Protein backbone atom coordinates (compact mmCIF):
# COMPACT_ATOMS: atom_id res chain seq x y z
CA UNK A 1 0.00 0.00 0.00
CA UNK A 2 1.15 3.53 -0.67
CA UNK A 3 2.11 5.95 2.06
CA UNK A 4 -0.75 7.72 3.77
CA UNK A 5 -1.43 11.19 2.52
CA UNK A 6 -0.25 13.95 4.91
CA UNK A 7 -2.87 16.29 6.34
CA UNK A 8 -3.12 19.32 4.08
CA UNK A 9 -1.85 22.58 5.54
CA UNK A 10 -4.64 24.95 6.53
CA UNK A 11 -5.39 27.83 4.23
CA UNK A 12 -4.76 31.41 5.38
CA UNK A 13 -8.49 31.84 5.95
CA UNK A 14 -8.64 28.66 8.05
CA UNK A 15 -5.58 29.74 10.04
CA UNK A 16 -7.17 33.14 10.77
CA UNK A 17 -10.43 31.51 11.84
CA UNK A 18 -8.55 29.16 14.17
CA UNK A 19 -6.51 32.05 15.54
CA UNK A 20 -9.71 33.98 16.31
CA UNK A 21 -11.05 31.02 18.28
CA UNK A 22 -7.75 30.67 20.12
CA UNK A 23 -7.78 34.37 20.99
CA UNK A 24 -11.32 34.13 22.37
CA UNK A 25 -10.37 31.11 24.44
CA UNK A 26 -7.13 32.71 25.60
CA UNK A 27 -9.00 35.83 26.78
CA UNK A 28 -11.06 33.70 29.17
CA UNK A 29 -8.15 31.57 30.35
CA UNK A 30 -5.95 34.61 30.95
CA UNK A 31 -8.72 36.16 33.01
CA UNK A 32 -8.98 32.97 35.08
CA UNK A 33 -5.22 33.08 35.52
CA UNK A 34 -5.37 36.70 36.66
CA UNK A 35 -8.22 35.92 39.07
CA UNK A 36 -6.32 32.99 40.57
CA UNK A 37 -3.21 35.14 40.86
CA UNK A 38 -5.10 37.86 42.71
CA UNK A 39 -6.61 35.31 45.10
CA UNK A 40 -3.15 33.88 45.75
CA UNK A 41 -1.72 37.32 46.50
CA UNK A 42 -4.56 38.00 48.93
CA UNK A 43 -4.21 34.62 50.65
CA UNK A 44 -0.44 35.02 50.87
CA UNK A 45 -0.82 38.52 52.33
CA UNK A 46 -3.27 37.20 54.93
CA UNK A 47 -0.84 34.46 55.92
CA UNK A 48 2.10 36.89 56.16
CA UNK A 49 0.15 39.23 58.47
CA UNK A 50 -1.05 36.38 60.69
CA UNK A 51 2.40 34.82 60.79
CA UNK A 52 3.91 38.15 61.86
CA UNK A 53 1.26 38.47 64.59
CA UNK A 54 1.94 34.87 65.66
CA UNK A 55 5.69 35.52 65.99
CA UNK A 56 5.04 38.73 67.92
CA UNK A 57 2.77 36.91 70.36
CA UNK A 58 5.30 34.08 70.60
CA UNK A 59 7.86 36.59 71.89
CA UNK A 60 5.31 38.06 74.33
CA UNK A 61 4.43 34.63 75.70
CA UNK A 62 8.13 33.76 76.09
CA UNK A 63 8.68 36.96 78.10
CA UNK A 64 5.65 36.31 80.31
CA UNK A 65 6.75 32.71 80.82
CA UNK A 66 10.11 33.97 82.10
CA UNK A 67 8.34 36.30 84.53
CA UNK A 68 6.04 33.54 85.78
CA UNK A 69 8.98 31.16 86.29
CA UNK A 70 10.79 33.94 88.15
CA UNK A 71 7.82 34.42 90.48
CA UNK A 72 7.66 30.67 91.13
CA UNK A 73 11.37 30.61 92.02
CA UNK A 74 10.94 33.58 94.36
CA UNK A 75 8.02 31.90 96.13
CA UNK A 76 10.06 28.70 96.50
CA UNK A 77 12.96 30.64 98.04
CA UNK A 78 10.57 32.24 100.55
CA UNK A 79 9.17 28.84 101.47
CA UNK A 80 5.73 30.37 101.90
CA UNK A 81 3.04 32.01 99.88
CA UNK A 82 3.50 35.76 99.68
CA UNK A 83 0.37 36.39 101.75
CA UNK A 84 1.68 34.38 104.75
CA UNK A 85 5.13 35.83 105.29
CA UNK A 86 6.14 35.42 109.00
CA UNK A 87 7.54 38.91 108.92
CA UNK A 88 4.06 40.23 108.32
CA UNK A 89 1.84 38.09 110.45
CA UNK A 90 4.37 37.73 113.28
CA UNK A 91 4.54 41.45 113.83
CA UNK A 92 3.49 42.90 117.17
CA UNK A 93 2.95 46.25 115.52
CA UNK A 94 -0.68 46.43 114.27
CA UNK A 95 0.09 49.38 112.00
CA UNK A 96 3.11 47.66 110.54
CA UNK A 97 1.09 44.46 110.06
CA UNK A 98 -1.58 46.31 108.12
CA UNK A 99 1.07 47.93 105.93
CA UNK A 100 2.64 44.53 105.33
CA UNK A 101 -0.71 43.06 104.32
CA UNK A 102 -1.22 45.88 101.85
CA UNK A 103 2.18 45.23 100.27
CA UNK A 104 1.61 41.47 100.16
CA UNK A 105 -1.84 41.95 98.66
CA UNK A 106 -0.39 44.21 95.98
CA UNK A 107 2.34 41.69 95.13
CA UNK A 108 -0.20 38.86 94.98
CA UNK A 109 -2.42 40.91 92.71
CA UNK A 110 0.48 41.67 90.38
CA UNK A 111 1.32 37.99 90.24
CA UNK A 112 -2.28 37.09 89.42
CA UNK A 113 -2.33 39.69 86.68
CA UNK A 114 0.87 38.31 85.14
CA UNK A 115 -0.46 34.75 85.33
CA UNK A 116 -3.71 35.86 83.69
CA UNK A 117 -1.79 37.72 80.98
CA UNK A 118 0.35 34.65 80.33
CA UNK A 119 -2.72 32.43 80.08
CA UNK A 120 -4.52 34.92 77.80
CA UNK A 121 -1.55 35.38 75.49
CA UNK A 122 -0.90 31.65 75.41
CA UNK A 123 -4.47 30.96 74.28
CA UNK A 124 -4.25 33.82 71.76
CA UNK A 125 -1.03 32.32 70.44
CA UNK A 126 -2.80 29.07 69.53
CA UNK A 127 -5.58 30.97 67.77
CA UNK A 128 -3.07 32.99 65.74
CA UNK A 129 -1.12 29.85 64.87
CA UNK A 130 -4.26 28.04 63.69
CA UNK A 131 -5.34 31.04 61.61
CA UNK A 132 -1.89 31.32 60.05
CA UNK A 133 -1.83 27.63 59.21
CA UNK A 134 -5.26 27.89 57.55
CA UNK A 135 -4.20 30.98 55.59
CA UNK A 136 -1.02 29.22 54.43
CA UNK A 137 -3.04 26.21 53.28
CA UNK A 138 -5.35 28.53 51.29
CA UNK A 139 -2.33 30.31 49.78
CA UNK A 140 -0.79 27.01 48.71
CA UNK A 141 -4.08 25.92 47.16
CA UNK A 142 -4.36 29.18 45.20
CA UNK A 143 -0.74 28.89 44.09
CA UNK A 144 -1.50 25.47 42.65
CA UNK A 145 -4.53 26.94 40.83
CA UNK A 146 -2.35 29.72 39.41
CA UNK A 147 0.20 27.23 38.12
CA UNK A 148 -2.54 25.15 36.49
CA UNK A 149 -4.04 28.18 34.73
CA UNK A 150 -0.59 29.41 33.73
CA UNK A 151 0.24 26.08 32.11
CA UNK A 152 -2.96 26.25 30.04
CA UNK A 153 -2.21 29.85 29.01
CA UNK A 154 1.31 28.93 27.90
CA UNK A 155 -0.07 26.07 25.81
CA UNK A 156 -2.55 28.43 24.11
CA UNK A 157 0.18 31.01 23.51
CA UNK A 158 2.35 28.40 21.79
CA UNK A 159 -0.55 27.56 19.46
CA UNK A 160 -1.22 31.24 18.80
CA UNK A 161 2.43 31.97 17.96
CA UNK A 162 2.58 29.00 15.60
CA UNK A 163 -0.42 30.29 13.66
CA UNK A 164 0.84 33.88 13.71
CA UNK A 165 4.19 32.79 12.31
CA UNK A 166 2.38 30.96 9.51
CA UNK A 167 0.38 34.10 8.77
CA UNK A 168 3.49 36.27 9.01
CA UNK A 169 1.60 38.40 11.51
CA UNK A 170 3.56 38.04 14.75
CA UNK A 171 4.40 41.44 16.24
CA UNK A 172 6.77 41.27 19.23
CA UNK A 173 6.24 44.94 20.07
CA UNK A 174 8.64 47.22 21.87
CA UNK A 175 8.60 47.21 25.70
CA UNK A 176 10.25 50.65 25.61
CA UNK A 177 7.80 52.23 23.18
CA UNK A 178 6.91 55.82 24.04
CA UNK A 179 3.56 55.50 22.25
CA UNK A 180 1.60 58.33 20.74
CA UNK A 181 0.19 61.62 21.96
CA UNK A 182 -3.55 61.61 22.61
CA UNK A 183 -5.31 64.48 20.80
CA UNK A 184 -8.91 63.30 21.08
CA UNK A 185 -11.95 64.96 22.68
CA UNK A 186 -11.52 63.62 26.25
CA UNK A 187 -11.30 65.99 29.20
CA UNK A 188 -10.77 65.74 32.95
CA UNK A 189 -10.02 62.26 34.33
CA UNK A 190 -10.76 60.62 30.99
CA UNK A 191 -8.04 62.74 29.34
CA UNK A 192 -5.50 61.50 31.90
CA UNK A 193 -6.61 57.92 31.24
CA UNK A 194 -6.21 58.22 27.50
CA UNK A 195 -2.92 60.11 27.65
CA UNK A 196 -1.55 57.19 29.63
CA UNK A 197 -3.09 54.52 27.38
CA UNK A 198 -1.80 56.19 24.21
CA UNK A 199 1.68 56.41 25.71
CA UNK A 200 1.65 52.58 25.89
CA UNK A 201 0.89 52.09 22.18
CA UNK A 202 3.39 49.75 20.58
CA UNK A 203 4.15 47.84 23.77
CA UNK A 204 3.52 44.08 23.55
CA UNK A 205 0.52 42.18 24.79
CA UNK A 206 1.75 40.08 27.72
CA UNK A 207 -0.60 37.72 29.53
CA UNK A 208 -0.79 38.76 33.17
CA UNK A 209 0.97 41.99 32.23
CA UNK A 210 0.37 45.13 34.26
CA UNK A 211 3.20 47.20 32.77
CA UNK A 212 5.31 49.03 32.25
CA UNK A 213 6.84 46.85 29.53
CA UNK A 214 3.68 45.03 28.46
CA UNK A 215 0.00 44.57 29.27
CA UNK A 216 -2.94 42.28 28.95
CA UNK A 217 -6.33 43.90 28.34
CA UNK A 218 -7.42 44.44 31.95
CA UNK A 219 -3.87 45.26 33.03
CA UNK A 220 -3.93 48.20 30.61
CA UNK A 221 -7.35 49.48 31.72
CA UNK A 222 -6.37 49.19 35.38
CA UNK A 223 -3.09 51.06 34.87
CA UNK A 224 -4.70 53.74 32.69
CA UNK A 225 -7.41 54.56 35.21
CA UNK A 226 -4.87 54.45 38.04
CA UNK A 227 -3.17 57.35 36.24
CA UNK A 228 -6.37 59.30 36.86
CA UNK A 229 -6.51 58.30 40.53
CA UNK A 230 -9.17 55.58 40.17
CA UNK A 231 -8.35 52.15 41.54
CA UNK A 232 -9.92 49.44 39.39
CA UNK A 233 -9.90 45.73 40.27
CA UNK A 234 -7.46 43.55 38.35
CA UNK A 235 -9.52 41.29 36.07
CA UNK A 236 -12.20 41.94 33.43
CA UNK A 237 -14.86 40.13 35.47
CA UNK A 238 -13.94 42.09 38.59
CA UNK A 239 -13.95 45.38 36.69
CA UNK A 240 -17.37 44.61 35.22
CA UNK A 241 -18.75 43.73 38.67
CA UNK A 242 -17.12 46.84 40.19
CA UNK A 243 -18.96 48.94 37.62
CA UNK A 244 -22.39 47.46 38.34
CA UNK A 245 -23.75 50.91 39.23
CA UNK A 246 -21.76 52.64 36.50
CA UNK A 247 -23.15 50.90 33.41
CA UNK A 248 -23.72 53.05 30.33
CA UNK A 249 -25.34 52.36 26.99
CA UNK A 250 -23.12 51.42 24.06
CA UNK A 251 -25.00 54.13 22.18
CA UNK A 252 -23.92 56.76 24.70
CA UNK A 253 -20.18 56.14 24.97
CA UNK A 254 -17.83 58.83 26.19
CA UNK A 255 -14.00 58.89 26.12
CA UNK A 256 -12.56 56.86 28.98
CA UNK A 257 -15.49 54.41 29.17
CA UNK A 258 -14.55 50.75 29.43
CA UNK A 259 -16.06 48.48 26.78
CA UNK A 260 -16.45 44.80 27.58
CA UNK A 261 -16.69 42.08 24.97
CA UNK A 262 -16.38 38.34 24.27
CA UNK A 263 -18.45 37.23 27.25
CA UNK A 264 -16.49 39.61 29.51
CA UNK A 265 -13.25 38.02 28.35
CA UNK A 266 -11.90 41.29 26.98
CA UNK A 267 -11.98 44.99 27.88
CA UNK A 268 -10.89 48.11 26.00
CA UNK A 269 -11.03 51.90 26.47
CA UNK A 270 -13.20 54.13 24.32
CA UNK A 271 -11.02 56.93 22.95
CA UNK A 272 -13.70 59.00 21.24
CA UNK A 273 -14.32 59.56 17.53
CA UNK A 274 -15.45 55.93 17.17
CA UNK A 275 -12.08 54.51 18.27
CA UNK A 276 -10.82 52.31 21.09
CA UNK A 277 -7.37 51.65 22.54
CA UNK A 278 -6.63 48.20 23.92
CA UNK A 279 -4.15 45.34 24.39
CA UNK A 280 -5.57 42.75 21.95
CA UNK A 281 -3.90 39.34 22.30
CA UNK A 282 -0.65 37.38 22.04
CA UNK A 283 1.47 38.43 19.08
CA UNK A 284 0.01 41.92 18.97
CA UNK A 285 0.61 45.26 20.67
CA UNK A 286 -1.32 47.99 22.45
CA UNK A 287 -3.06 49.77 19.61
CA UNK A 288 -5.90 52.00 18.48
CA UNK A 289 -8.62 50.58 16.21
CA UNK A 290 -12.02 51.69 15.01
CA UNK A 291 -14.83 50.31 17.12
CA UNK A 292 -16.74 49.49 13.94
CA UNK A 293 -13.87 47.22 12.87
CA UNK A 294 -13.31 45.80 16.36
CA UNK A 295 -14.64 42.37 15.40
CA UNK A 296 -15.56 41.32 18.95
CA UNK A 297 -19.01 40.66 20.40
CA UNK A 298 -19.79 43.60 22.67
CA UNK A 299 -21.35 43.00 26.09
CA UNK A 300 -21.61 46.48 27.60
CA UNK A 301 -19.74 49.44 29.01
CA UNK A 302 -19.06 51.18 32.31
CA UNK A 303 -17.99 54.71 33.17
CA UNK A 304 -15.51 54.67 36.11
Amino acid sequence: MGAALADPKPTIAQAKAKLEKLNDRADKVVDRYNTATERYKKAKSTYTKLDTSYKRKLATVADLRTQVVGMAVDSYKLGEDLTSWPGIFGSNDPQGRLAGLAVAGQLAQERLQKLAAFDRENRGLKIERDKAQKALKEADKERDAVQKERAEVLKLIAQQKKLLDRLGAYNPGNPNSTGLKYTGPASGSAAAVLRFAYAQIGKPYVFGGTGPGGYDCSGLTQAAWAAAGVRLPRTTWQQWAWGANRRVSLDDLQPGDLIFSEGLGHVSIYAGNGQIVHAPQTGDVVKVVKLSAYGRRLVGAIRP
Side-chain angles (χ1 to χ4, degrees), residues 163-221:
L163 277 173
L164 287 166
D165 285 339
R166 168 164 170 70
L167 295 169
Y170 186 80
N171 185 348
N174 177 9
N176 299 312
S177 173
T178 55
L180 300 174
K181 182 179 180 180
Y182 177 71
T183 58
S187 61
S189 296
V193 169
L194 287 159
R195 282 195 297 269
F196 179 92
Y198 269 58
Q200 313 313 308
I201 288 173
K203 291 184 178 181
Y205 173 93
V206 176
F207 91 88
T210 55
Y215 300 87
D216 61 19
C217 65
S218 56
L220 177 64
T221 55

Side-chain angles (χ1 to χ4, degrees), residues 225-281:
W225 268 101
V230 177
R231 187 174 181 179
L232 294 180
R234 173 65 182 90
T235 71
T236 56
W237 283 87
Q238 291 171 333
Q239 290 177 10
W240 176 254
W242 175 87
N245 297 321
R246 299 175 174 85
R247 305 278 163 80
V248 294
S249 170
L250 291 170
D251 295 325
D252 188 33
L253 292 173
Q254 293 181 12
D257 289 349
L258 300 184
I259 302 174
F260 295 80
S261 56
E262 301 301 333
L264 300 181
H266 192 75
V267 61
S268 57
I269 306 171
Y270 185 63
N273 298 324
Q275 295 181 315
I276 61 168
V277 56
H278 70 143
Q281 64 268 325

Side-chain angles (χ1 to χ4, degrees), residues 115-128:
L115 286 170
F118 173 73
D119 181 62
R120 182 172 59 253
E121 291 294 335
N122 206 35
R123 281 185 282 110
L125 183 64
K126 183 179 184 304
I127 292 173
E128 292 293 339

Side-chain angles (χ1 to χ4, degrees), residues 44 49 56 60 75 132 144 203 207 245 260 286 293-295:
K44 186 67 174 178
K49 290 177 182 178
R56 185 172 59 248
T60 300
S75 293
D144 291 342
K203 291 184 178 181
F207 91 88
N245 297 321
F260 295 80
V286 177
Y294 187 35

Side-chain angles (χ1 to χ4, degrees), residues 286-304:
V286 177
K287 65 201 306 184
V288 176
V289 298
K290 288 185 177 297
L291 182 57
S292 60
Y294 187 35
R296 294 177 183 258
R297 297 180 294 276
L298 303 184
V299 174
I302 66 172
R303 185 166 297 151

Side-chain angles (χ1 to χ4, degrees), residues 65-79:
R65 183 183 291 112
T66 299
Q67 294 180 40
V68 170
V69 170
M71 288 188 296
V73 171
D74 289 343
S75 293
Y76 175 78
K77 288 179 179 178
L78 289 171

